[in-house]
Amino acid sequence: MFKKFDAKEDVTGTQQLKSSVQKGIRNKLIEQYPHLDTVIDDILPKKENFKLVKCKEHIEMLADVNGVVQFVKHRDFEKYFPTLKLLHKYPFILPHQQVDKGAIKFVLNGSNIMCPGLTSPGAKMTDDLPKDSIVAIMAEGKEHAMAVGVMKMSSEEIRKINNGIGIDTITYLNDGLWRISTIV
């Protein structure tokens, strides 16, 4: 989705949000990600205004007062998902799914995660995750997430079927979203 994203070309506008709308978004984020409750004030402080950045292809971004993108939402997904930079700072936001070493180069090229990459030796899956869960994609032997994705099947179905796409990759290291420093 963000393979060729360029802020100069793809951003169509920014909007300063009313405090009531900001409060609603903050509450929605805490509802989606309960672990954010303790750090939401560090990410999107109450006293500072954050921006809604609208982009081509029905993408919305939440940027803090400094213009750093923290969360992204696409029309196809009803939930905001954290950027990888935010996920590296607060790794507990999303459940983790770990792929084996053989899948790393493919994920870093934007490929979706196939079920065998999640069930082979070296891979680890979080139990009881339903279909459409947003997850951090970890790599065997690495400390930080290398991608964010959406489960196309539940954890149980991935183990049972062990064929096809298990996780649809949304963003990954060194894609266009990763390279954005700030949005003014």
Side-chain angles (χ1 to χ4, degrees):
M1 181 183 310
F2 293 100
K3 193 169 201 162
K4 296 181 181 180
F5 185 83
D6 182 10
K8 290 177 182 158
E9 294 177 17
D10 294 326
V11 172
T12 58
T14 60
Q15 179 180 353
Q16 198 72 33
L17 299 172
K18 293 180 184 178
S19 59
S20 60
V21 175
Q22 289 183 37
K23 184 178 180 183
I25 290 173
R26 288 166 48 89
N27 289 338
K28 187 184 281 189
L29 288 170
I30 292 169
E31 184 181 310
Q32 289 175 12
Y33 307 110
H35 301 302
L36 269 181
D37 194 23
T38 57
V39 295
I40 192 72
D41 288 330
D42 296 337
I43 300 167
L44 298 171
K46 285 181 184 177
K47 301 283 186 202
E48 298 175 358
N49 292 330
F50 56 89
K51 300 174 195 166
L52 179 68
V53 180
K54 297 208 176 207
C55 305
K56 293 179 182 174
E57 298 184 32
H58 309 285
I59 296 171
E60 292 181 0
M61 299 181 188
L62 295 177
D64 65 14
V65 72
N66 299 320
V68 177
V69 176
Q70 303 291 1
F71 291 92
V72 181
K73 180 173 135 182
H74 188 273
R75 178 179 65 183
D76 294 345
F77 311 114
E78 295 186 13
K79 298 178 180 177
Y80 283 100
F81 60 88
T83 62
L84 276 168
K85 290 178 184 178
L86 183 64
L87 197 56
H88 287 179
K89 204 171 184 181
Y90 303 104
F92 54 84
I93 295 173
L94 295 176
H96 295 182
Q97 301 291 44
Q98 181 175 302
V99 296
D100 60 13
K101 287 182 180 179
I104 295 173
K105 67 181 177 184
F106 298 106
V107 175
L108 292 178
N109 281 325
S111 297
N112 293 325
I113 290 86
M114 305 304 282
C115 291
L118 293 164
T119 57
S120 65
K124 293 179 190 166
M125 279 201 311
T126 304
D127 292 330
D128 302 326
L129 283 179
K131 179 181 176 182
D132 296 328
S133 295
I134 297 174
V135 294
I137 301 163
M138 310 300 283
E140 179 183 4
K142 304 296 179 194
E143 181 182 349
H144 295 292
M146 65 175 173
V148 174
V150 176
M151 302 277 291
K152 299 310 281 178
M153 300 181 217
S154 69
S155 300
E156 187 179 320
E157 290 173 320
I158 289 173
R159 281 191 192 90
K160 198 181 296 181
I161 298 169
N162 201 22
N163 191 11
I165 297 172
I167 302 174
D168 193 8
T169 303
I170 302 171
T171 182
Y172 55 93
L173 288 174
N174 291 323
D175 68 358
L177 183 58
W178 173 262
R179 283 184 250 130
I180 295 174
S181 54
T182 58
I183 293 181
V184 182

